[in-house]
Structure formats: C-alpha cells, structure tokens
Amino acid sequence: MPLVPLAHVAQERASVRAGLGAFNVIHLENAEAFVRAAERVGQPVVLQISQNAATYHGALGPISLGTLEVARRAEVPVVVHLDHAEDLDLVYEAIDLGFTSIMYDGSALNYDDNVRNTADVVRRAHSAGISVEAELGKVGGKDGVHAPGVRTDPTEAAAFVASTGVDALAVAVGTSHAMTTRNAALDLELIGAMRRALDVPLVLHGSSGVSDEGMVAAIRAGMTKINVSTHLNKIFTAQVREYLDENPAVVDSRKYFGRGMNAVQDEVARLLSLYAAP
Ligand code: G3H
Ligand code: ZN
C-alpha cells in the first residue's frame, strides 16, 4: 500500500486545497530522510528521481531500486516519480522498474511534438497503472537559464490536457529552477485561472525560490504538487560544511552525512506541515 500512483493522491490533496510535497532523491539518504519526515507528520510524499540524477549515477536502476524499497517500507503513501525525463527510453525503463509516476518533459519541444510524445507516454504508462505528469510552458533554470518571465496559457493548457490525458500538469507561473534565494514572484491570478480551466492537479516546479507564505498562497490558489530540491541541498551542504569545520579530523562520512540529513529531514517535515489543508 505505501507505494501509490500520483494521480489518486494528488487529486485527493487538490480536493482539499492541500499541497503534496515532492522532493528530489539524489543520494539514497534523501529517500530515507524524506520518508521519515513524511511519517513524522503523517502525510503522503513524492520521492522523485530526475534524468539528471540518473546521469550522475551512470544508470537509473541502482538509485531507483533503493528508493522503491524505501518507499515500500514506508508507513505513509509514497509516490516514486521520474522527474524531468526528456529521454523516452528512460521513461520506458522507469515503467519497467516499477515507478508509480513519470514526468515526461517535452517543454523544450514545439506544442505538437510535446502533445504527440506525451500522449504516447500516457498510453504506455496508463496501461501499467502509472501516472503521468507533463510540462507546458518551460520553467527555466535547469541549464542555468533564469527565465521566471515565461507563462503557461490556461486555454492552451486545457487543450493540452484533453489531447494527452495527463494526470498532472507542470505550469510556468513565475518560478525558475535552482534559485538559492526564496524571492520568486508568483502569478497567483494565473494559478487561479489555470485551476478553473483544468481538471488535473497543477505542479509547481522550482519551488526552492518561493517563500513559505508564497507556497501557502500558491496552494490556496490551486497548486498541488510542490517540487523542492535546491533549497534542501543548500541546507544539507551548509550543515556538512559546518560539521567539517568543527571536526576537521573526521573521516567517517556517516558523521557529516548524518548531520546534513537530520537537518533536511526537519526541514521536509516543516514544509509538509506548511502544505497541509487549511
Ligand atoms: O523538478 C524539480 C523541481 O522543480 C526542483 O526545483 O531545485 O528549484 O527547487 P528547485
Ligand atoms: Zn522541475
């Protein structure tokens, strides 16, 4: 039961105007920390592994199999999600590995190619009981390109959802990936318009750049899946740096990983509580 598809849990959260925390797994310790935090506050969580993380590890399998096992042992519902996959072979590998959600990211393609590829992914994933998230209107920042000005058009988004059958849609509403300051200006009016135009949960990418108040306002306006990565990496790295400064003779990596991951776990528990229904 703990390993669940995205569609149902995201719809459930959306129906009560609550957020669903989605955090990036880069090292296996991330998966363990995110699940412990979700169990602490009794909320579902999304563990997401990006195409970039698979490239970093040299393959999708090893980090995914560990993450799936952490999810299976969890005491709360957990979605294991492939994040920002542009490579269709990787999408199909994730389906075979047992992921319960896939993000096919065709946002760099033209509209027609994005629709065609996304609809193909939806057919394959749905026949295996797996949910699909897609992106329309590129949320920049992944390649160092800061593009918070890009916006998704609600009418085009509604047509995209109808043509592809996706279960969740990532939209551009003022965030940008990999921000290390939390001062992104969200277009709350556009989020509201998108919520009214679409019948699938909305996904906020680049949420590291959004303040606590901004995230709550975005959720109340209609965002559901809240993707956070850089903010947690920043906390982890600061803690590790501090530990190493204080303990220059340390050689056991568990010591400084432990300090970093404890702080990450506390922050994820805090964020999940922030995303709770009003
Ligand atoms: O898909 C992942 C997220 O959009 C994370 O973005 O690193 O800016 O929080 P972030
Ligand atoms: Zn993203």
Side-chain angles (χ1 to χ4, degrees):
M1 160 61 197
L3 190 50
V4 296
L6 175 69
H8 183 66
V9 69
Q11 274 157 19
E12 219 170 60
R13 301 294 285 177
S15 70
V16 294
R17 289 283 162 123
L20 173 62
F23 308 104
N24 285 70
V25 175
I26 303 169
H27 315 288
L28 190 57
E29 286 87 344
N30 291 123
E32 294 160 351
F34 302 158
V35 166
R36 295 297 84 79
E39 287 173 341
R40 200 197 299 174
V41 296
Q43 282 198 33
V45 70
V46 180
L47 307 181
Q48 43 192 26
I49 300 169
S50 69
Q51 180 171 315
N52 286 341
T55 304
Y56 165 75
H57 285 286
L60 181 62
I63 184 75
S64 308
L65 293 172
T67 300
L68 284 158
E69 186 58 15
V70 170
R72 283 189 195 100
R73 291 164 182 250
E75 286 163 13
V76 290
V78 180
V79 177
V80 176
H81 172 88
L82 179 67
D83 197 31
H84 286 292
E86 298 179 7
D87 175 354
L88 287 167
D89 288 338
L90 197 73
V91 166
Y92 300 131
E93 189 183 344
I95 291 174
D96 291 342
L97 281 165
F99 279 62
T100 56
S101 177
I102 303 286
M103 178 198 188
Y104 172 67
D105 183 352
S107 63
L109 303 174
N110 67 47
Y111 181 84
D112 289 340
D113 288 348
N114 191 1
V115 167
R116 195 195 53 241
N117 286 4
T118 304
D120 280 351
V121 169
V122 167
R123 266 189 296 278
R124 291 270 289 267
H126 281 185
S127 68
I130 298 168
S131 307
V132 177
E133 171 187 332
E135 178 168 329
L136 186 69
K138 196 164 177 54
V139 180
K142 276 198 304 258
D143 313 307
V145 188
H146 188 69
V150 177
R151 294 287 183 275
T152 305
D153 173 64
T155 310
E156 192 174 62
F160 183 88
V161 169
S163 318
T164 57
V166 290
D167 303 288
L169 189 68
V171 289
V173 293
T175 54
S176 182
H177 284 100
M179 285 179 70
T180 52
T181 53
R182 303 176 81 207
N183 56 354
L186 287 174
D187 193 334
L188 294 174
E189 238 174 75
L190 180 59
I191 296 172
M194 213 88 72
R195 174 74 284 140
R196 291 189 290 279
L198 303 177
D199 56 2
V200 295
L202 300 174
V203 185
L204 186 64
H205 280 252
S207 305
S208 291
V210 183
S211 64
D212 284 358
E213 303 72 38
M215 280 193 254
V216 172
I219 291 165
R220 299 295 172 260
M223 276 291 168
T224 301
K225 180 169 174 272
I226 309 295
N227 287 11
V228 181
S229 180
T230 304
H231 172 66
L232 300 176
N233 281 337
K234 195 175 151 186
I235 290 171
F236 175 77
T237 304
Q239 289 294 321
V240 169
R241 189 170 285 126
E242 197 178 284
Y243 187 94
L244 293 174
D245 283 347
E246 289 166 8
N247 302 275
V250 71
V251 292
D252 184 342
S253 55
R254 288 170 295 190
K255 301 272 191 224
Y256 51 87
F257 252 79
R259 165 86 80 94
M261 282 303 157
N262 282 342
V264 165
Q265 188 177 319
D266 288 347
E267 179 61 0
V268 168
R270 194 188 73 80
L271 289 174
L272 289 173
S273 303
L274 204 66
Y275 303 161

